[in-house]
Amino acid sequence: MSGEISHTGIVKKLSENKIIVGIVNESACASCHAKGSCTAADMKDKEVEINQFNGEYHLGQRVTVIGKTSQGFKALFLGYLLPFIILLTILIITTSLRIPEGTGGLLALASLIPYYFVLYLVRNRIKRSFEFEIKPLE
């Protein structure tokens, strides 16, 4: 494993201090020979903001966006694993307190509201911790 994740994209917006690159995420079937049977829902457009770059780029240029694997794990942890741990913890606590299952389940789901609200409030700080490199496609 190289420790990097790379995606091909197209430069969508340029300014002096940042570049926005559009990346199309395709499901496995969308890039195979049977892609005619796949739906448009299998493809998702994402935008990546690159703040530090060397060289000159122009609109429409095909580039490679590179991120560290550790950033992927961090995103996975914040988006999926930590909320799951919170949900499971609340379910265990409510079960041990003999709170009815339905109420415990609703409390566990409701406990995610403050988590995602706090995540929303600190989104800019989190965004700064994700850094990507950009290279022209060869």
Side-chain angles (χ1 to χ4, degrees):
M1 181 190 296
S2 66
E4 293 182 343
I5 301 169
S6 64
H7 288 284
T8 303
I10 298 173
V11 176
K12 286 190 163 187
K13 296 178 189 172
L14 283 170
S15 69
E16 289 183 21
N17 56 353
K18 73 177 175 180
I19 296 176
I20 305 290
V21 177
I23 296 174
V24 176
N25 281 345
E26 297 178 341
S27 67
C29 67
S31 61
C32 78
H33 66 280
K35 68 181 176 182
S37 62
C38 294
T39 65
D42 296 326
M43 301 167 103
K44 296 179 184 167
D45 287 330
K46 306 270 186 197
E47 288 188 349
V48 177
E49 183 177 307
I50 293 123
N51 295 314
Q52 297 177 355
F53 56 92
N54 295 323
E56 289 197 24
Y57 298 93
H58 55 84
L59 289 176
Q61 182 178 2
R62 291 179 53 86
V63 294
T64 301
V65 177
I66 302 167
K68 295 179 184 162
T69 306
S70 61
Q71 293 179 156
F73 291 130
K74 181 179 180 180
L76 180 72
F77 179 76
L78 291 173
Y80 296 103
L81 190 58
L82 189 56
F84 177 72
I85 291 169
I86 292 169
L87 186 90
L88 197 59
T89 302
I90 299 298
L91 280 174
I92 291 169
I93 290 170
T94 56
T95 302
S96 66
L97 294 175
R98 306 217 187 265
I99 295 175
E101 289 178 3
T103 305
L106 289 174
L107 286 172
L109 287 173
S111 71
L112 295 179
I113 294 171
Y115 171 74
Y116 282 111
F117 181 69
V118 169
L119 205 61
Y120 176 77
L121 292 177
V122 297
R123 70 188 180 278
N124 290 327
R125 183 181 298 169
I126 293 170
K127 185 178 180 182
R128 284 191 301 261
S129 71
F130 288 93
E131 295 180 6
F132 296 97
E133 292 179 37
I134 185 174
K135 293 182 181 176
L137 196 62
E138 298 170 13

